[in-house]
Amino acid sequence: MHSIALQMLCASVVSRYGVHPDAAESALLATLEHFHAESHDPAVARTGRTSTQYLNEAMQSPRFAAMLSASALMADGREADARLNWEAYVQREVSAARQAHEVVPPSAPLGNPDEIHRIGRRLGLRDEQTDQLIRRIVLTLATGYPHRSAHQRHLSLTDILTQVTSSELTLLLRHTALLAAGRTDEAAAALRRIQRAAR
């Protein structure tokens, strides 16, 4: 992004949130650094994007805007406002994920509560546990949805959720359950299996 565009972005944050220009600039640098590091994740290369393409797209995302504004408020010494700002963004994401999940057809594993519970029971989970974990999985998929590979970019979030197969859902549920139980090494191994399956 050109320096003029970055200056305009800083000015917009200053104007909208009433933060000091130095706080906005500091927040912008920290946010850019965060997304720059993300852009070099091997998962980005698997989507067919270069790190520059990923970074350019990410900078247009609601997550970038939310992280930038929360960071600017924090740098300006307004911790409570920063927390409220970030929580509002998370609630919007949760609401969008829930709405997308609600319209997944029952013919798809993620749209069929009986199938979801069957998978959970096979993993030794109670139905209530499974329901809680499924909400996390849907939100995780929603968060990664804008950065899917090129052949999936035209799909809606509901389409993406509809395409999750029973075997993929089993892997995702196992991974999330291991994380929830604090078994991070096993969760990392499960995540590697998911990533290999996605290639």
Side-chain angles (χ1 to χ4, degrees):
M1 197 175 229
H2 298 295
S3 60
I4 294 174
L6 293 176
Q7 288 170 5
M8 289 174 59
L9 193 50
C10 276
S12 170
V13 171
V14 169
S15 170
R16 184 166 181 192
Y17 298 99
V19 299
H20 191 278
D22 289 347
E25 187 175 333
S26 169
L28 179 59
L29 292 174
T31 306
L32 284 169
E33 188 174 303
H34 174 88
F35 281 87
H36 183 265
E38 263 189 17
S39 74
H40 288 87
D41 189 298
V44 170
R46 288 196 291 273
T47 69
R49 290 173 177 84
T50 65
S51 58
T52 301
Q53 288 170 327
Y54 176 89
L55 189 57
N56 287 337
E57 288 180 23
M59 288 176 69
Q60 310 303 317
S61 71
R63 187 165 67 100
F64 185 94
M67 191 174 290
L68 174 59
S69 56
S71 297
L73 289 164
M74 187 71 75
D76 205 47
R78 294 162 55 189
E79 290 85 359
D81 288 341
R83 188 174 59 255
L84 288 171
N85 186 283
W86 182 257
E87 286 171 0
Y89 160 72
V90 170
Q91 285 308 310
R92 288 191 300 273
E93 292 295 299
V94 167
S95 178
R98 185 177 59 246
Q99 289 171 12
H101 188 208
E102 284 170 358
V103 293
V104 172
S107 56
L110 260 175
N112 185 333
D114 292 335
E115 173 73 0
I116 288 170
H117 289 153
R118 261 195 304 277
I119 292 170
R121 286 184 211 122
R122 282 200 304 265
L123 296 173
L125 302 169
R126 297 187 315 277
D127 290 352
E128 303 78 34
Q129 283 178 289
T130 300
D131 290 338
Q132 289 175 355
L133 296 174
I134 287 295
R135 284 193 283 273
R136 287 194 209 175
I137 289 169
V138 169
L139 183 58
T140 299
L141 292 171
T143 303
Y145 158 65
H147 307 295
R148 293 278 175 159
S149 55
H151 73 282
Q152 291 182 316
R153 263 177 249 164
H154 67 288
L155 300 175
S156 70
L157 177 55
T158 296
D159 292 336
I160 294 289
L161 298 176
T162 299
Q163 289 188 2
V164 174
T165 65
S166 291
S167 61
E168 289 169 338
L169 184 53
T170 301
L171 289 172
L172 290 167
L173 199 48
R174 179 179 293 120
H175 172 256
T176 309
L178 290 167
L179 273 182
R183 295 160 62 183
T184 53
D185 289 344
E186 293 170 78
L191 179 60
R192 286 192 291 275
R193 286 194 292 274
I194 291 168
Q195 291 171 335
R196 281 197 298 272
R199 287 178 192 171

